[in-house]
Amino acid sequence: MKAGVIGLGAMGAHMALNFDRAGVLAAVWNRTPARAQALEFSGGVLRAGTPAEAAAKSDLIVTCVSRDADVFEVARAMLPGLSAGKIVCDTSTVSRDTACELSALYKTRRADFLDCPVSGGVEGARKAALAMMVGGDAAVFGRARPLLSKIAANVVHMGPTGSGQATKAVNQIMAAGINQAVTEALAFGEAMGLDMNKVIDVVGSGAAGNWFLSHRGKTMVAGSYAPGFKVALHHKDLEIIQRMARDRSRWPLSVVANTLADYEQLMHEGHGDEDISALYRLKKENFKPGT
Ligand code: NAP
């Protein structure tokens, strides 16, 4: 089986490179062709002219684009290249409803679909160390798993279509809370006049240690917020979660609501394309002298 990748952004580019290293990459497509040209693939990998061309060359097609509307756009463009037996695996973070609609859309070409959102950041994508939460038919998952294992270290079948995205929503609520806690705590530490690199090392080795602190702590205190995971993308995820929770929860999810408000301020100030650790900008403001 050969893989294709559609969407060569921060995450998708590494997925494609890892498939290529494993010798299973057939084709790639990116909306902005220069991004595909800039990546070095081995000979024989097709830089397709259209999503349909990439799909026609591949047995399993990974999509990794930004938002729900973008996934539908590439899905519709891919349809002529799909046929029975092909599997589309969407690794974008979108809503559970979108996953179900995509499954129905691909069925019109008798192709199979798995929702396969991932966690582990750009570092995880680069090292093929992602956690992947998969929704869809168990037999299709069995066929896809060997290829998915080339880009993710922990590939887990969560249940029927949409279960992967529901699990990813759980992850994104936690990521928001961790971002709030880490940025607030580090801003407080800086206001205390502590050596922040030492703080990050010692706290990171204790009970409060976590991925975000160890991967983003030192860069954020140095004032660097290079993406990473963009503020605007996490904002998109939290809006999806707010809609998913609306009919089920007695009161609004406070971590989600607070983080959405903070991200909206950051986006308003022009920081939407920075890493989510840019929340540190707002937390530091709280400790400015005279406020
Ligand atoms: P990114 O760096 O902004 O890349 C986005 C990619 O999507 C680019 O290749 C872009 O093409 C393509 N794209 C966007 N809209 C499109 C459209 N309408 N048609 C065709 N292509 C389109 O984003 P990313 O960080 O890789 O994230 C991709 C997805 O993974 C998102 O759903 C995100 O929530 C999820 N995710 C991200 C992370 C992370 O740490 N970054 C972790 C887990 C999951 P162009 O090059 O033409 O703009």
Side-chain angles (χ1 to χ4, degrees), residues 7-12 29-32 35 64-66 70 73-74 91-93 118 121-122 168 228-230 233 236-237:
L8 303 172
M11 299 294 284
W29 178 84
N30 195 64
R31 178 179 61 181
T32 306
R35 224 162 172 172
C64 190
V65 297
S66 307
D70 304 315
E73 204 175 315
V74 295
T91 61
S92 324
T93 306
V118 293
V122 176
K168 174 73 189 201
F229 182 39
K230 293 174 187 166
L233 288 181
K236 169 259 306 178
D237 299 345

Side-chain angles (χ1 to χ4, degrees), residues 183-184 186-188 190-191 219-225 277-289 291:
T183 52
E184 192 161 292
L186 294 188
F188 169 82
E190 196 170 296
T219 47
M220 80 172 81
V221 297
S224 168
Y225 314 107
S277 52
L279 181 58
Y280 191 57
R281 290 178 180 280
L282 302 189
K283 301 293 182 183
K284 269 198 319 185
E285 287 290 315
N286 192 27
F287 293 102
K288 274 200 164 161
T291 57

Side-chain angles (χ1 to χ4, degrees), residues 131-153:
M132 181 179 279
M133 26 218 115
V134 184
D137 181 79
V140 176
F141 174 71
R143 279 164 48 219
R145 189 181 192 151
L147 273 188
L148 296 176
S149 301
K150 308 290 184 202
I151 56 172

